[in-house]
Amino acid sequence: MSFENMRFSKEHEWVQFEEGSNLVTTGITDYASGELGDIVYIEFPEVGQELKSMEPMGTIEAVKTVADIYAPLSGVVREVNTVLNDDPGIVNQSPYGEGWFVKIEMSDRSELDGLMEKHEYDRMVGKG
Amino acid sequence: MTNVKVTPLTDLHRASGAKMVEFAGYLMPVSYGSILAEHRAVREQVGIFDVSHMGEFVIRGKGARRLVNDIITNDCSRLAEGALQYSVMCREDGTVVDDLLVYVVRDDQVLLVVNASNIEKDLEHVLTFDRNGADVENVSDECALLAVQGPRCRDVLTSCPLFDDVREQVERTAYYHGFSFTHGGSEILVSRTGYTGELGFEILVPSNLAVEFWEAITQAGRDYGLVPVGLGARDTLRFEASFCLFGHELNDDTSPLEVGLGWVVKLNKERFRGIETLRQEKKNGPKRALVGFELEGRNIARQGYTVLKDGVEIGKVTSGAFSPTMKKSLCMALIERSAKGTEGVYEIAIRGKTATARLTPLPFYRSRAK
């Protein structure tokens, strides 16, 4: 798959954006889902909730551990992937596809520039 | 990771891509891919576990059984040869040193299987007893322990060539009984025991035969859906079956009567270490009780989280998981016994929030091992 229109946070979230739109899709990276192992529950933010970049917006319960999810960008939550309520394991199978978490309407597009490109993220997790 | 120990199967686990962690000083596989898939395989088909980190002591000599009976709270005096028993061993003050499996291999040879994290403490404890000529040997580093668990485990072993000569014994052996046979000049001990709540066998082999047995059983298991299972699923399986785990439900300050292990404490025995204290505790009633809770929602109540009743702290969670079989968030907790009742609102503090919890009987999952 192409990671050209994706950016990555140091907390292992990804952001997928489109030119001319402030609505972005987010999720956690393949590396993060692998490290967490089987995910059994995701606590999402509410639709309409305001997020501040790098502040916790939810939690992930995996079999062996629990982790915070950080907002990769500031903005407003517009949609939550409720399919994951019934089958959170989708995240482990398809972290960049069907396992997306939330859609956020960005309030400051320039925050994208503060995130990493795929090759930078890969280098950070020692896979580049 | 200094001086981390390995098992005879560590290289094999690594080669198969297992995620390895240090546990009780041993480098062990936590999962070979998915903990949940491994858990399901054991409930529905069959799995093989490397549990070679467990400790083994062999007690030999005429006084072997008597020595063991002085150590344990259970009573092994009338166990037949080839029978096993679950027990704990305590200090004078009634606290648990460890929980263990007692295997009467022969009248003058008893095997004790203890927790990896407690091997040295247990050995020291055992050596404080008057041994009456019995000989205690720590063979933990010389053997490997494999567990084959799940409804198809019998089929796997009876179709494995290494068990050709003992097929009938595999078929016939009852729960908490075992048998031995010779392979490659060594004695192999097989018992119908386990830590999963499923039909299962545990197989003790000398270290040099571990790979041969693992590979032969894995090969035979192909037709039955056998998968290797790591410590992650071992924990969720034993949690659902509500077996105590040392370091969680059991600790150096726990009494066996608090955690529902009264059935292995034989207070009418002539003696065992801790008997006076435990008789007294039984009379007065233990202070704490191990209970099960079902949580509202899907957050997991993990070890150490606080349990509240009507807003007041009454105890701590000892183990918690999102049960893969029951699909519920469950936990075991050690609470003040006086707080155990049907009235009042129970809550568990989960990272700054609280989740309502409902008392639910243990075990969560009824064992099918018998």
Side-chain angles (χ1 to χ4, degrees), chain B residues 274-328:
Chain B
I275 194 166
E276 290 307 329
T277 322
L278 290 171
R279 277 179 181 155
Q280 202 59 41
E281 188 183 346
K282 169 90 178 180
K283 215 167 86 188
N284 301 337
K287 286 199 174 59
R288 298 183 292 182
L290 186 72
V291 295
F293 284 113
E294 180 184 334
L295 276 76
E296 233 167 61
R298 294 179 67 149
N299 277 115
I300 299 173
R302 296 175 195 270
Q303 181 175 32
Y305 289 9
T306 299
V307 184
L308 306 150
K309 186 179 190 183
D310 300 327
V312 180
E313 175 169 350
I314 55 161
K316 298 281 186 197
V317 171
T318 55
S319 300
F322 189 81
S323 159
T325 308
M326 273 79 76
K327 312 262 189 255
K328 288 174 188 167

Side-chain angles (χ1 to χ4, degrees), chain B residues 2 5 38 95 98 114 147 179 184 244 275 289 297 353 359:
Chain B
T2 49
K5 290 187 175 182
E38 290 162 27
T95 56
D98 203 0
V114 303
F179 63 90
C244 289
I275 194 166
K353 292 184 213 160
L359 277 173

Side-chain angles (χ1 to χ4, degrees), chain A residues 23-82:
Chain A
L23 195 66
V24 297
T25 306
T26 70
I28 61 163
T29 64
D30 186 34
Y31 173 81
S33 78
E35 286 295 300
L36 288 167
D38 290 313
I39 293 168
V40 292
Y41 175 60
I42 300 159
E43 204 167 32
F44 291 114
E46 306 275 333
V47 171
Q49 190 175 323
E50 276 199 43
L51 304 174
K52 257 189 101 177
S53 165
M54 284 304 114
E55 288 190 357
M57 65 167 183
T59 50
I60 304 173
E61 295 272 12
V63 176
K64 295 303 280 181
T65 187
V66 57
D68 283 319
I69 315 166
Y70 293 87
L73 296 162
S74 305
V76 178
V77 178
R78 288 299 177 211
E79 196 181 339
V80 164
N81 188 2
T82 50

